[in-house]
Amino acid sequence: QVQLVESGGGLVQAGGSLRLSCAAAGRTFSYYTMAWFRQAPGKEREFVAAIRWSDSKTWYADSVKGRFTISRDNAKNTVYLQLNSLKPEDTAVYYCAAKSFEYDHLLPDDYVGYGYWGQGTQVTVSS
């Protein structure tokens, strides 16, 4: 089992920044690809970013590329998402997710491979 706890959400004006954190507890964190997804009211959950366990390769949704940065600290069992140049359309609940290495054959943006999820943290961007 892996327990994930997100923090760092809040209310920010357009153009502002936030840093989300996701602390993991349980099984060996370093063997998990970590990702962030988000879900806005009335919309489907969507992929935001992922970072692979083996080489820290990263992937981003086109909508956040160049503005968001995902990183991980295996020593602290924590993954981060730096959100810069925020836009009102970034408003959503952001979820941290973990995918075991056994599912590396699945695409990083495929939520099916992620077996563990946090409770989510709200990000609200005002215009």
Side-chain angles (χ1 to χ4, degrees), residues 58-110:
T58 58
W59 296 265
Y60 295 94
D62 288 343
S63 59
V64 307
K65 204 170 292 184
R67 299 188 299 121
F68 292 6
T69 303
I70 188 171
S71 60
R72 65 190 295 161
D73 185 336
N74 288 342
K76 295 183 178 180
N77 285 1
T78 302
V79 63
Y80 305 96
L81 186 68
Q82 179 68 40
L83 293 70
N84 295 331
S85 302
L86 281 161
K87 304 175 182 179
E89 51 264 44
D90 294 319
T91 296
V93 177
Y94 284 69
Y95 297 92
C96 175
K99 179 173 70 173
S100 175
F101 67 91
E102 295 105 322
Y103 298 98
D104 276 355
H105 59 284
L106 298 176
L107 293 175
D109 61 349
D110 184 352

Side-chain angles (χ1 to χ4, degrees), residues 5-74:
V5 179
E6 302 99 332
S7 61
L11 173 65
V12 64
Q13 287 189 329
S17 298
L18 284 173
R19 189 174 84 153
L20 307 184
S21 298
C22 173
R27 306 181 80 176
T28 307
F29 173 79
S30 57
Y31 293 144
Y32 286 77
T33 288
M34 302 298 296
W36 290 91
F37 290 77
R38 67 186 181 185
Q39 188 166 20
K43 293 189 176 182
E44 297 285 321
R45 176 173 38 187
E46 65 173 350
F47 169 78
V48 176
I51 184 166
R52 189 159 60 190
W53 67 274
S54 56
D55 56 4
S56 292
K57 178 179 173 61
T58 58
W59 296 265
Y60 295 94
D62 288 343
S63 59
V64 307
K65 204 170 292 184
R67 299 188 299 121
F68 292 6
T69 303
I70 188 171
S71 60
R72 65 190 295 161
D73 185 336
N74 288 342

